[in-house]
Amino acid sequence: LDFVDNGGLRFRFTQIDPDDPSREFSFLLVVNEEEKYDIVDCNPPIEATLLLDMLDTLNRNDDMNALVRRIRKTFKEHCL
């Protein structure tokens, strides 16, 4: 977890890809002009509709832990 200059949080994960455990997966979470959470960078990319659903859920319930778990699970599925 890193704080970035624009006030966002960069979440970084390793140990996801069984073929390359050191491979980094990440996303950058910011608060936009409407005071809502937004993800402005995601590597590898997650399908836009799925990402929007995750953000909608986060903006409704403010459960950051659930967002992180769901994104990590999606990254793991990306490796299958």
Side-chain angles (χ1 to χ4, degrees):
L1 179 64
D2 299 313
F3 294 97
V4 295
D5 291 339
N6 67 355
L9 296 172
R10 171 144 333 256
F11 292 79
R12 299 175 192 271
F13 306 93
T14 57
Q15 307 298 317
I16 289 179
D17 186 344
D19 295 328
D20 185 2
S22 64
R23 178 180 173 198
E24 186 175 280
F25 294 72
S26 66
F27 68 95
L28 177 59
L29 185 71
V30 298
V31 176
N32 64 25
E33 301 82 29
E34 299 169 355
E35 297 295 314
K36 296 198 180 248
Y37 291 111
D38 198 4
I39 293 177
V40 294
D41 182 40
C42 188
N43 186 28
I46 293 176
E47 181 184 332
T49 55
L50 182 56
L51 200 55
L52 288 173
D53 179 59
M54 291 180 196
L55 285 167
D56 182 55
T57 301
L58 175 63
N59 283 305
R60 278 188 285 111
N61 66 20
D62 209 31
D63 188 348
M64 188 72 63
N65 290 327
L67 173 76
V68 171
R69 287 191 309 269
R70 192 168 172 198
I71 288 182
R72 190 173 199 288
K73 180 181 177 189
T74 303
F75 283 154
K76 286 186 89 153
E77 291 168 354
H78 179 79
C79 294
L80 298 179

